[in-house]
Amino acid sequence: MERIPPRPEWHAPWKMYRVISGHLGWVRSIAFSHNNEWFCTGSADRTIKIWETHSGKLKLTLTGHIGQVRGLAVSSRHPHMMFSVGDDKLVKCWDLERNKVVGSYHGHLSGVYCLALHPTLDVLLIGGRDSVCRLWDIRTNMQIRAVSGHDNTVSSVFSRSTDPQVITGSHDSTIKLWDLRNGNTMATLTHHKKSVRALAKHPTQESFASASADNIKKFSLPRGEFLHNTLSQHKTIVNAMAVNQEGVLATGGDNGSLWFWDWKSGHSFQQSQTTVQPGSLDSEAGIYALSYDITGSRLVTCGVDKTIKMWKQDEHATPETHPVNFKPPKEIRRF
Amino acid sequence: MAALMEILPHAKASAAATYYDHSNDPWFTGRYNALISEDNRGEFIETNCVPLYGTQERLKYRPSTAQDLGDGGAFPDIHYAQYPLDMGRKKDSSSGIKTLPLSFDNLGNLTCDAIVKQNENAKKIVYSQHRDQIPKILQDDKEDQEHELDDDKKKEIEETTQETKAALEKIVNVRLSASQPKSVETRFQDSKFIKYKPSQQSAAFNSGANERIIRMTEMQVDPFEPPKSKHKRIPKANGSPPVPVMHSPLRPVTVQDQQDWKIPACVSNSKNPKGYTIPLEARFAADGRGLQEIQINDNFAKFEESLYLAEQKARESASMRAKLQKDLMMKEKERKEQEL
């Protein structure tokens, strides 16, 4: 019944090549545009800044939030639309052709922590501290539904085009799969012990990973079957997680550790530590958000030290220069 | 009394007929017949003998079955819940459902998780088995298969999208129509006309008018009027039934962890509103006096060294120069003496 994990694939190690400091507060959220030309970051200084991807130059600063900007999303269906959510209970829709707020979604009872856009519908999914995930119709600014069932803050959400269309992770340490049509829970996954702060859907496979302080777990879709844990524990609070097309899972921790994992086997092939920018304390190394660009070749991390760091793979690395240091475990941890 | 009788209208039926013959009532007929048929069958409950008053057995006696209680009547001196002829016993219709039937899986094994898959959870995916905790690694072939978007998948996406769109649009439309005052406007339009003819036709009544036409419309509602009813807090809906917890219990916190989480109290030298006595070392620590290490730049030392060296050299060269000059002077002197 129990299978030995497969030998991990070789991935080139990642190294930092650029540090952008421009924000005046913690950088809490990031989103890439769908043409990969720019990315936007939201910060605790209440601004959203838009940066050029290839040069790292600041293009635009948007003000309007009155609290930390906790989540950002750029619509793939409407390329000039960007959505931002914040601790100030505000959800704003920005028109990037005119750089104006064109919509706001009023009705959240507490700070809003995460958002996701439905891939095929004009629906905005927002989770927050009021422990419900609210669905908004983008055009009419109407709340369609509030799916409730979590007992604590909804800290991560992502959406799919087929059922289950919404998956939320919460601080009550459960993951819920939702049926969007009638707002019911399809399944509740109670495999985690600590709050699930990050979810990452694999871009091609039908599976997702969920990160919690105790473990990083992989689940299959659509039924949400538990697949396996990662082979080692990222011993910190994991704030952010992302997967790229090549199967490199990156997790950013609260203590500034950035770990890279092989998706297939769950082996951590690189465990790096971010360095804080000069003038910051050691305790300000934490990573709050990270995202791959659209091609998956660059990684951008946003930190407590007010900087944005960009990482890419080492081009000169080969399996000979950086061999996979892998000892197959006797058994995979279950819990 | 007689006067009252005169005022009151006559009774419609005679007093004898007011006794309602309920045996003819359709509701009762079934029941009477049932009783009669039971009697006909002659099924009498056989009674057990009951201990006499004042005996030890009587104190311990617990009449619970129909045999104990006989054909009716409870024993009031026995303090025990008694249901003679099953009167008052709750006939719980759901008691049958409370016991779950045995269920087996496709391999013929007894499944003990029927309890978590009842009611609302029946429609959901509930993981309760040991095999749901066992790690499974994806096979390679499955990955490759799912790599490209095939036609089935596209069709599924299309279907789901359409269904969801329809379901969500329905909700949005209801909310939109509720929020837009268009529906309120139309309600004012339809007014009813009522022709009113007063029964008392006289000049004294109704300003002498024979009839009136009344237009009935609903009173216009100010859309900006604050709601008259207060918002009531709706009690929280009882959540979905719990699902099995699929993780091991949390490990107890280690001493190291506990110590790591110990955050010392904040000590300030400028604020102490409650006037606590602060130990001297805490004050010093808050001051940050001991925390700052004095660091002297290395260049100072290098500068000092080089200054010293330069001075040494300068002194040496000066003394050399002086010596040379002295020698020269001496030689000059000697030369002059010889000349003389």
Side-chain angles (χ1 to χ4, degrees):
Chain A
M1 191 73 196
E2 213 149 300
R3 294 194 201 91
I4 299 159
R7 205 174 155 70
E9 283 172 24
W10 181 82
H11 299 284
W14 292 69
K15 59 179 188 183
M16 191 172 71
Y17 71 98
R18 185 183 290 150
V19 180
I20 307 167
S21 71
H23 274 296
L24 302 174
W26 299 345
V27 191
R28 298 225 58 156
S29 53
I30 180 167
F32 264 90
S33 78
H34 285 267
N35 54 11
N36 220 4
E37 280 174 9
W38 51 267
F39 64 92
C40 46
T41 52
S43 161
D45 62 4
R46 310 187 293 275
T47 60
I48 301 160
K49 284 180 193 274
I50 295 180
W51 312 85
E52 236 168 64
T53 310
H54 68 274
S55 63
K57 275 192 191 122
L58 180 66
K59 288 175 84 174
L60 188 65
T61 304
L62 298 169
T63 55
H65 273 285
I66 48 174
Q68 296 186 15
V69 180
R70 295 290 292 254
L72 285 169
V74 184
S75 171
S76 59
R77 294 155 56 77
H78 314 283
H80 59 279
M81 267 166 122
M82 184 181 77
F83 297 89
S84 62
V85 299
D87 267 354
D88 46 6
K89 311 177 194 175
L90 296 180
V91 180
K92 286 177 189 288
C93 171
W94 301 83
D95 182 354
L96 294 179
E97 285 174 349
R98 292 179 289 155
N99 299 331
K100 269 175 143 180
V101 177
V102 290
S104 61
Y105 303 90
H106 177 77
H108 286 273
L109 304 176
S110 293
V112 191
Y113 285 8
C114 57
L115 83 163
L117 287 160
H118 196 282
T120 53
L121 292 169
D122 278 340
V123 169
L124 185 62
L125 307 147
I126 295 175
R129 219 176 68 81
D130 49 1
S131 66
V132 295
C133 177
R134 284 174 205 272
L135 272 67
W136 297 90
D137 189 54
I138 290 173
R139 285 183 307 133
T140 56
N141 294 9
M142 281 278 164
Q143 183 182 320
I144 301 171
R145 170 172 284 150
V147 288
S148 58
H150 280 298
D151 297 334
N152 212 330
T153 306
V154 178
S155 51
S156 46
V157 63
F158 76 87
S159 178
R160 300 169 72 239
S161 48
T162 54
D163 281 319
Q165 297 184 52
V166 186
I167 289 138
T168 55
S170 163
H171 281 205
D172 64 2
S173 75
T174 60
I175 301 163
K176 279 181 193 274
L177 281 58
W178 301 92
D179 182 4
L180 197 55
R181 274 166 253 189
N182 44 19
N184 288 344
T185 324
M186 286 177 80
T188 305
L189 310 177
T190 51
H191 297 262
H192 278 291
K193 288 191 217 174
K194 301 277 178 74
S195 58
V196 183
R197 284 170 186 253
L199 293 173
K201 181 183 166 291
H202 194 279
T204 51
Q205 284 173 31
E206 292 286 290
S207 53
F208 70 95
S210 62
S212 159
D214 56 338
N215 258 321
I216 295 164
K217 287 169 189 280
K218 262 166 69 182
F219 295 92
S220 79
L221 286 167
R223 286 180 59 80
E225 282 155 339
F226 171 61
L227 291 178
H228 62 95
N229 289 325
T230 50
L231 299 183
S232 46
Q233 268 176 311
H234 192 168
K235 289 187 192 69
T236 180
I237 296 169
V238 180
N239 282 325
M241 180 162 63
V243 206
N244 72 356
Q245 288 86 333
E246 285 135 39
V248 180
L249 179 73
T251 53
D254 223 17
N255 59 0
S257 55
L258 178 66
W259 287 26
F260 294 92
W261 311 78
D262 175 40
W263 176 268
K264 203 170 102 184
S265 62
H267 166 67
S268 169
F269 66 89
Q270 188 185 346
Q271 302 174 353
S272 50
Q273 180 77 23
T274 56
T275 45
V276 292
Q277 72 164 339
S280 305
L281 305 173
D282 287 341
S283 56
E284 291 175 336
I287 293 168
Y288 270 142
L290 57 84
S291 169
Y292 282 104
D293 70 345
I294 301 302
T295 58
S297 58
R298 275 171 287 199
L299 178 73
V300 183
T301 60
C302 304
V304 186
D305 61 345
K306 306 171 190 175
T307 60
I308 302 155
K309 297 189 176 81
M310 296 179 81
W311 306 66
K312 65 181 171 190
Q313 277 182 320
D314 192 354
E315 291 106 358
H316 307 296
T318 55
E320 285 74 41
T321 56
H322 295 83
V324 180
N325 180 20
F326 175 64
K327 265 182 258 162
K330 279 178 192 134
E331 60 156 12
I332 305 180
R333 280 173 307 109
R334 287 182 194 174
F335 304 112
Chain B
M1 191 68 197
L4 183 70
M5 289 302 281
E6 275 165 28
I7 294 163
L8 288 174
H10 290 289
K12 279 183 181 164
S14 65
T18 51
Y19 292 109
Y20 183 65
D21 185 12
H22 57 263
S23 61
N24 289 337
D25 190 284
W27 191 82
F28 274 106
T29 45
R31 281 162 181 78
Y32 267 117
N33 294 345
L35 281 178
I36 289 157
S37 65
E38 257 181 38
D39 288 343
N40 289 350
R41 270 185 270 133
E43 280 179 22
F44 291 103
I45 299 162
E46 294 214 357
T47 50
N48 297 344
C49 20
V50 178
L52 292 172
Y53 279 106
T55 56
Q56 280 296 315
E57 289 78 37
R58 178 84 176 186
L59 292 174
K60 288 176 198 159
Y61 187 56
R62 293 281 175 268
S64 54
T65 58
Q67 280 83 23
D68 293 336
L69 290 155
D71 52 352
F75 303 98
D77 58 319
I78 299 169
H79 295 165
Y80 179 73
Q82 302 166 48
Y83 303 99
L85 295 176
D86 275 349
M87 284 188 295
R89 197 191 288 279
K90 264 184 198 152
K91 287 199 184 68
D92 203 348
S93 58
S94 63
S95 63
I97 300 166
K98 268 182 185 167
T99 43
L100 290 166
L102 287 177
S103 53
F104 295 88
D105 63 359
N106 52 4
L107 295 171
N109 300 321
L110 181 67
T111 52
C112 303
D113 58 347
I115 192 157
V116 298
K117 287 179 181 169
Q118 54 174 348
N119 301 337
E120 214 177 303
N121 275 350
K123 288 174 273 173
K124 296 177 188 168
I125 306 163
V126 182
Y127 294 110
S128 54
Q129 298 286 326
H130 172 65
R131 60 168 178 269
D132 299 326
Q133 294 185 325
I134 290 175
K136 293 170 274 291
I137 302 273
L138 269 183
Q139 295 90 349
D140 294 278
D141 51 347
K142 203 181 169 191
E143 277 176 31
D144 294 337
Q145 198 188 356
E146 284 172 354
H147 209 84
E148 70 258 28
L149 271 172
D150 49 354
D151 285 348
D152 287 352
K153 180 96 183 168
K154 272 183 190 160
K155 204 175 159 192
E156 195 197 338
I157 289 175
E158 181 66 24
E159 262 175 34
T160 327
T161 308
Q162 290 307 327
E163 276 175 37
T164 319
K165 203 175 179 182
L168 298 187
E169 256 175 17
K170 210 184 272 175
I171 301 170
V172 170
N173 287 340
V174 168
R175 298 217 167 175
L176 265 181
S177 61
S179 70
Q180 282 168 352
K182 212 168 77 185
S183 55
V184 182
E185 285 292 326
T186 54
R187 238 192 295 150
F188 298 130
Q189 300 305 320
D190 45 26
S191 50
K192 247 193 319 187
F193 289 93
I194 300 165
K195 205 178 204 178
Y196 169 66
K197 214 177 243 178
S199 59
Q200 283 162 315
Q201 295 282 350
S202 138
F205 292 101
N206 202 20
S207 315
N210 285 342
E211 60 174 37
R212 280 166 186 267
I213 291 168
I214 299 167
R215 183 181 173 214
M216 285 272 278
T217 54
E218 236 169 82
M219 205 173 85
Q220 195 152 11
V221 183
D222 182 6
F224 286 105
E225 199 179 20
K228 290 218 176 73
S229 59
K230 261 192 183 174
H231 276 299
K232 264 186 199 164
R233 197 188 163 87
I234 304 162
K236 195 187 155 201
N238 38 355
S240 41
V243 291
V245 173
M246 300 298 280
H247 60 72
S248 62
L250 286 171
R251 302 286 180 269
V253 186
T254 58
V255 180
Q256 181 64 38
D257 275 347
Q258 277 173 333
Q259 280 166 355
D260 285 350
W261 273 106
K262 209 162 269 172
I263 298 163
C266 176
V267 172
S268 165
N269 278 335
S270 48
K271 268 189 185 175
N272 187 7
K274 289 188 178 164
Y276 290 129
T277 318
I278 300 165
L280 205 57
E281 60 265 25
R283 276 178 189 276
F284 278 132
D287 195 6
R289 220 174 289 180
L291 298 175
Q292 284 161 346
E293 265 178 45
I294 301 156
Q295 281 191 338
I296 300 164
N297 202 327
D298 278 352
N299 292 344
F300 279 111
K302 280 180 197 161
F303 178 60
E304 197 97 320
E305 190 94 336
S306 51
L307 265 185
Y308 179 71
L309 281 175
E311 197 195 355
Q312 285 280 321
K313 260 182 201 165
R315 273 179 200 284
E316 218 166 84
S317 61
S319 65
M320 284 284 277
R321 225 178 284 131
K323 206 179 158 191
L324 207 69
Q325 207 140 18
K326 214 175 164 185
D327 284 359
L328 280 175
M329 289 280 279
M330 287 287 280
K331 270 182 189 167
E332 189 85 352
K333 220 177 183 178
E334 265 174 37
R335 197 165 55 86
K336 272 186 183 169
E337 266 177 23
Q338 276 171 2
E339 268 178 21
L340 284 170

